[in-house]
Amino acid sequence: MMEDSPFLEAAPVLVPMPAERPYTYAVPAGMRVVPGAIVRVPLGPRQVAGIVWDASVEKVDSRKLRPIEQVFDCPPIDRAMRRFVDWIAQYTLSPPGMVARMLLRAPEAFDPEPWIEGLQRGPMAPDRMTAARSRVLEVAEGGLAWTRSGLAHAAGVSSTVIDGLKAQGVFETVMIPPRPVVAAPDPEYARPALMADQDEAAALLRANVAADVFNVALLDGVTGSGKTEVYFEAVAAALEKGRQVLILLPEIALTHAFLERFQQRFGAKPAEWHSDLPPRMRERVWRQVAEGGVRVVAGARSALFLPFKDLGLIVVDEEHDPAYKQEDRVFYNARDMAVVRGHIGGFPVVLASATPSVESRVNASQGRYSRAVLSSRFAEAALPDLKSIDMRRAPPARGGFLSPVLLDQMRRTLEKQEQSLLFLNRRGYAPLTLCRVCGHRFGCPVCSAWLVEHRFRGQLVCHHCGHNERRPEACPECGTLDHLVACGPGVERIAEEVVTHFPDARAIVLSSDLMGGVRRLRLELEAIANGEADIVIGTQLVAKGHNFPNMTLVGVVDADLGLANGDPRAAERTFQLLSQVTGRAGRTGKKSLGLLQTYQPDHPVMRAIVSGDSEAFYEREIAEREVTGLPPFGRLAGVIVSAASRAEAETHARGLRRAAPQAADIRVLGPAEAPLALLGGRHRFRLLVQGERRADMQGFIRAMLAEGPKQRGSVRVQVDIDPQSFL
């Protein structure tokens, strides 16, 4: 079917539900329906929005077909985006309808934005002139249209003054088109002076954009090397060609600082897209992206599914970040899907990170990606000196968690009126609370996880399902009062220890469960950047691209934490996280220090971080992956079976295992009870499918699911291609 050919009698419509194929609807006489059009259709007893798809129309008795109710006055979803939806559905083994659902997240945007009533200077003069009226007329000179409230505010008068002038015919009523959500960025606004290696990297990215074909560039630069300024040059090149740009960020909290930097470079902010955006603003951004009015979007992973009119570049900042993996309904990795989106659309993609993923490094070394390296920090700034603290030789005081070596350095930093950062990737006060008398442990009633104490809130919280309860005074098992003890440290407990040692210091705790949410977090980050805190205690939030000018000491409280699990990416993740955290120090040229508290100072990860020899780490990690056939040299897929009872989940998982086809290049491991065996009241079993790099993993799993037992009762099966989590 040609793009502009209308369907005459019936049309396939993809609806936002777990549908494996489009449904066929009748096209009423006189209605024009094209592929990509967003339509309103009946689905059971309700009306839903769907997308007219490219599939062939099924032969169904026209009398049985329900009609399309309405074609929305909205730009159609272009062919590249429709192919992208089909590709994701095929790759992730998700129903296409659930992928399409992510495109239709702004239902109020399907109709055009209403025009606004405004006022424009007419030919009449007022019957008498006052100071207030004079100010209004002065502001309104030039023939521009104003809103009533906008004109009153600009002139510094009340609305009654405007109403009086309108009644006399001084102002005429006109309709104003909806205003843009952001101003247009100017590629020439503030071009920076780049250093030699930055200029070389920028030239590569500009050349990739100029080529106007699909290519991927890995921008690999140490923390503070100016990666953002470099890829801004690629953004400028795309804007000069009249194309739209998408910049993906891993964390909402990052967006505020990023928006400021973008405005300094281009004279205007990009449009935002993330879950914290008010619904009305989301709808306006969606609509103006579809119409081509919004030129640049900075957003979370879901921004991949915005209906761009003419997308010409995607930048994935902090491309290694696990936050790009979605593990809800449709499991996908936004970094990998961004590359696919670029391939389908025929435009360049930039991946930027100080600690690139092993997959990206291998792709660069094999020539699939070009690679630009920034090996030094911008201007006078130097990388921090990194040292490990052997906790066996310099243990903390009884009941404490901070080594005397770290405390001494914090004291010196305070004396110099500089900032310290303590990093611990554990929220709350303590990861476990137990009774000293009977040994009772507080666990989540619906998850196989311990409740984390949050002392600031007086609550015990499950970090998996959100269950919370008040911290009791007495043990619920034996009834003994005042014998509950917190085991292990969280950031709140470290903050308590800091106050004990440095009572006069200004301390801030940064964590994703901060009261006040994202808004509060942004204010705290600004306060730190402005020097309004002496000691910052934070979780992995602080590892994500923030710039703290006066930060000269970073202490990692438990550097071994990420190494203590069976995740095949544990070494890589720990290296990335600790490198990013220590990279917060010394970004403005002051001498800085990074200290890692560890019980394994000889571990390859610790040695690589302390020595600064990232290349040796990547070489070792890549060699190990190759030997074991792990990604990117092999393929993995997780199959998670969950049910209301353990027996149901296990029986179904074993049935799937028996149904697995014979294949020389693919094997199935399990089923085994998941490490998080109970989650949200559902029992979980996992199968791990491992195959060679060119193995047809999707075909194998599709056959296994088709031949295996049917999902009945409470049983649910979720496929996770390229799993990032093994819990």
Side-chain angles (χ1 to χ4, degrees), residues 644-717:
S645 73
R646 188 181 186 280
E648 273 187 292
E650 185 173 11
T651 303
H652 195 94
R654 293 194 181 282
L656 285 179
R657 175 69 180 86
R658 285 193 296 272
Q662 293 297 313
D665 55 354
I666 296 177
R667 62 183 181 139
V668 181
L669 305 173
E673 203 167 31
L676 268 174
L678 186 65
L679 188 62
R682 295 181 64 81
H683 295 263
R684 304 165 75 245
F685 276 76
R686 290 181 67 101
L687 295 114
L688 187 65
V689 186
Q690 186 177 16
E692 294 177 9
R693 189 164 163 269
R694 300 195 180 280
D696 181 10
M697 188 74 78
Q698 281 82 358
F700 180 92
I701 296 172
R702 210 174 270 113
M704 183 171 76
L705 295 174
E707 291 299 318
K710 301 294 175 255
Q711 294 184 42
R712 290 187 178 91
S714 67
V715 174
R716 299 286 180 271
V717 178

Side-chain angles (χ1 to χ4, degrees), residues 544-586:
K544 299 184 186 235
H546 306 296
N547 188 26
F548 304 131
N550 202 35
M551 189 80 67
T552 58
L553 174 67
V554 171
V556 178
V557 176
D558 189 352
D560 307 323
L561 187 59
L563 299 170
N565 60 47
D567 185 346
R569 292 187 178 86
E572 178 192 1
R573 291 255 175 84
T574 302
F575 173 78
Q576 289 165 340
L577 187 58
L578 300 188
S579 298
Q580 293 283 347
V581 168
T582 52
R584 295 314 102 203

Side-chain angles (χ1 to χ4, degrees), residues 218-223 227 316-321 351-357 576 580 618:
L218 175 61
L219 184 57
D220 183 353
V222 298
T223 53
K227 292 183 292 296
V316 184
D317 202 359
E318 308 289 356
E319 64 91 28
H320 67 278
D321 200 295
L351 309 178
S353 175
T355 52
S357 61
Q576 289 165 340
Q580 293 283 347
Y618 278 108

Side-chain angles (χ1 to χ4, degrees), residues 87-172:
W87 196 96
I88 288 182
Q90 183 78 10
Y91 185 80
T92 63
L93 300 182
S94 304
M98 293 307 288
V99 184
R101 183 176 177 268
M102 296 190 286
L103 263 170
L104 302 170
R105 290 263 178 92
E108 297 299 318
F110 304 154
D111 290 311
E113 288 186 68
W115 285 47
I116 307 160
E117 189 177 284
L119 300 171
Q120 196 170 30
R121 183 80 163 87
M124 302 294 289
D127 57 355
R128 60 186 181 86
M129 192 63 75
T130 64
R133 286 179 170 183
S134 177
R135 288 201 302 277
V136 171
L137 295 178
E138 191 178 327
V139 169
E141 278 183 0
L144 292 175
W146 291 79
T147 62
R148 174 174 169 268
S149 58
L151 183 57
H153 181 75
V157 301
S158 69
S159 297
T160 53
V161 177
I162 311 295
D163 294 338
L165 290 169
K166 183 186 173 186
Q168 293 182 26
V170 177
F171 286 103
E172 297 172 345

